[in-house]
Amino acid sequence: MIRELTCINCPLGCDLTVKLDENNEVVDVSGNNCKMGEIYAKKEVKDPRRMVCSTVRLIGGKYNTVPVKTKSDIPKGKIFEVMKEINNAEAKAPVHIGDILIEDLAGTGVSLVSTAERE
């Protein structure tokens, strides 16, 4: 089987071709201009993951929301579940950059952290 991907590691956006064997194991990656493209391709076909950025309602501050992101990437298939938790979350002011607002988002083991200072 062959998968066609566009690398998202840098602005080049290399068009990648990934060849898989009958056991869905990566046999070859082509089209990448650097090693990062090969690593991305192998990871994307076996275990696609994404960072999630959003906002959380802020209670008792001069702003209504605080920007947040996942501390690391999460399985792509968990994005909707993670967003449901984020949409239902609230934080109390003050909030500082790096504060953990939710620990173990949707059972991923990944925390949700603040990316801004909010009083």
Side-chain angles (χ1 to χ4, degrees):
M1 176 174 31
I2 294 180
R3 294 267 318 266
E4 302 287 335
L5 306 169
T6 300
C7 184
I8 59 172
N9 273 320
C10 76
L12 288 177
C14 297
D15 292 323
L16 307 174
T17 301
V18 183
K19 293 181 185 173
L20 303 163
D21 66 14
E22 60 278 349
N23 297 318
N24 249 7
E25 296 299 321
V26 177
V27 183
D28 185 51
V29 176
S30 60
N32 54 300
N33 286 313
C34 68
K35 187 71 175 169
M36 291 301 297
E38 180 180 352
I39 293 167
Y40 168 77
K42 288 178 178 179
K43 188 175 174 183
E44 184 66 11
V45 298
K46 298 298 283 179
D47 181 26
R49 301 177 77 82
R50 299 290 184 270
M51 297 290 290
V52 174
C53 299
S54 188
T55 57
V56 165
R57 280 187 297 278
L58 187 63
I59 307 301
K62 71 178 187 180
Y63 296 97
N64 293 325
T65 60
V66 60
V68 296
K69 72 176 189 84
T70 52
K71 194 166 185 174
S72 63
D73 54 8
I74 61 161
K76 187 177 175 182
K78 289 271 195 173
I79 290 175
F80 290 110
E81 195 176 336
V82 163
M83 283 306 303
K84 185 175 181 180
E85 282 190 32
I86 292 171
N87 289 336
N88 291 323
E90 294 179 339
K92 291 183 180 179
V95 175
H96 305 284
I97 293 173
D99 281 358
I100 295 174
L101 302 182
I102 301 175
E103 288 197 25
D104 193 17
L105 273 166
T108 63
V110 176
S111 299
L112 184 73
V113 297
S114 169
T115 60
E117 299 284 327
R118 292 288 191 255
E119 295 183 20

